[in-house]
Amino acid sequence: GENVEQHPSTLSVQEGDSAVIKCTYSDSASNYFPWYKQELGKRPQLIIDIRSNVGEKKDQRIAVTLNKTAKHFSLHITETQPEDSAVYFCAASNALEYGNKLVFGAGTILRVKS
Amino acid sequence: DADVTQTPRNRITKTGKRIMLECSQTKGHDRMYWYRQDPGLGLRLIYYSFDVKDINKGEISDGYSVSRQAQAKFSLSLESAIPNQTALYFCATSDLQGQYFGPGTRLTVT
């Protein structure tokens, strides 16, 4: 089955700097890659996703890139702000075959220092 | 997201007790999921259901059972709770646009 690895496990950046979180996946049939943000004591919230027919997607200060050949995808946050501090999870699924049954990475704790 | 609710939000129980966690949704989604979250391990899938008559085991189903009472309701049971089932449990629903989580239930087994 699918296995998703996420790095780093913790990331500290200065406010205004960029943050990059990377994930690799094992199943070449996976074609849907969402990212979730979980603030302390809250539920995971979908912040951006990408499907395998595109290589990059942007939404304001966040972007996701996908390299299908290397089987990895990354989350990029620019101009970080204190409110970006949270745990971020990547996930992967073969959306066509399994609907939205996701396999998650272990998470990255992002701390933005002001 | 108030469209997915979970009860109870917090529960402390003793080893060997049976406990049920409930999930309700008003999104009209057919697909529902139960996950547990442990520090450093991310979210791991316990069970999932693609419609009322469809129940499937996830990667960590041992010690758990589920019931899909209706499209809107999906319950998770621990028949005989043990301390290593202490965790944060999330219910989720999905459509083609994504997966949406409930607020979570913090379960402590003493």
Side-chain angles (χ1 to χ4, degrees), chain A residues 32 36 38 41-46 49 51 87 89 95 97-107, chain B residues 1-2 4 31 33 35 37 40-43 45 48 50 88 90 94-99 101-103:
Chain A
Y32 173 66
Y36 285 81
Q38 186 179 28
K42 301 284 185 65
R43 73 191 77 192
Q45 298 267 20
L46 177 66
D49 58 19
R51 298 181 191 271
V87 181
F89 294 98
E97 185 170 347
Y98 298 113
N100 293 97
K101 185 166 76 75
L102 300 172
V103 177
F104 285 85
Chain B
D1 192 333
V4 185
R31 296 173 178 175
Y33 311 79
Y35 294 90
Q37 183 176 28
L41 294 177
L43 292 143
L45 184 63
Y48 63 102
F50 283 175
L88 184 55
F90 285 102
S94 74
D95 60 12
L96 291 176
Q97 305 307 313
Q99 196 160 126
F101 287 83

Side-chain angles (χ1 to χ4, degrees), chain B residues 26-68:
Chain B
T26 59
K27 288 183 165 293
H29 294 165
D30 288 324
R31 296 173 178 175
M32 299 186 73
Y33 311 79
W34 275 104
Y35 294 90
R36 67 175 279 174
Q37 183 176 28
D38 300 276
L41 294 177
L43 292 143
R44 293 182 293 165
L45 184 63
I46 306 172
Y47 271 94
Y48 63 102
S49 169
F50 283 175
D51 65 42
V52 175
K53 297 181 180 179
D54 176 77
I55 302 289
N56 303 280
K57 292 182 178 181
E59 59 179 307
I60 54 162
S61 59
D62 287 350
Y64 302 95
S65 63
V66 291
S67 173
R68 185 79 185 267

Side-chain angles (χ1 to χ4, degrees), chain A residues 41-83:
Chain A
K42 301 284 185 65
R43 73 191 77 192
Q45 298 267 20
L46 177 66
I47 56 172
I48 194 168
D49 58 19
I50 191 168
R51 298 181 191 271
S52 59
N53 56 344
V54 298
E56 183 176 5
K57 184 176 179 180
K58 290 183 179 180
D59 183 3
Q60 299 183 351
R61 294 188 298 108
I62 61 173
V64 57
T65 58
L66 171 65
N67 183 328
K68 288 179 59 180
T69 303
K71 289 190 282 188
H72 67 70
F73 56 111
S74 300
L75 178 71
H76 304 254
I77 306 174
T78 59
E79 301 174 15
T80 54
Q81 300 168 4
E83 53 264 39

